[in-house]
Amino acid sequence: MSLREIRLDAWSWLNCKPVMAHPESPQARRVFPELARTWVPEQDKRRLAVYKLLTAQGNGQAGQIAEVAGDEDAAERRELDDAAKLIDAALSYLL
């Protein structure tokens, strides 16, 4: 039995996401194809992946990233995104 690799850095709190826990996996390469470019320095690849993941979460597209990463049920889950946007949408539907 071997120990799993533990990565501790500024973005360790995102390791619960499969694409961040295993950035070298084929699923992560489908989500972040630009990180396979040769001009991206090795030490910056994880940082760029975090930026893309957080941008997708902020835009309400985290389910699409999970779907590309291989989670077939991700498209059916609803994303609530920002609480202020949810309140504004509910208020506009009521009015």
Side-chain angles (χ1 to χ4, degrees), residues 10 13 20 31 42 45 48 53-54 56 58 70 72 77 85:
W13 57 277
M20 292 307 298
V31 174
E42 192 64 37
K45 288 185 178 184
L48 293 174
L53 185 66
L54 291 177
E72 294 85 18
R77 286 186 294 232
K85 288 181 185 177

Side-chain angles (χ1 to χ4, degrees), residues 9-15 20 43 46-47 50-51 54:
D9 57 10
W11 307 284
S12 296
W13 57 277
L14 280 171
N15 285 345
M20 292 307 298
Q43 66 269 16
R46 185 160 162 87
R47 179 179 56 87
V50 168
Y51 290 164
L54 291 177

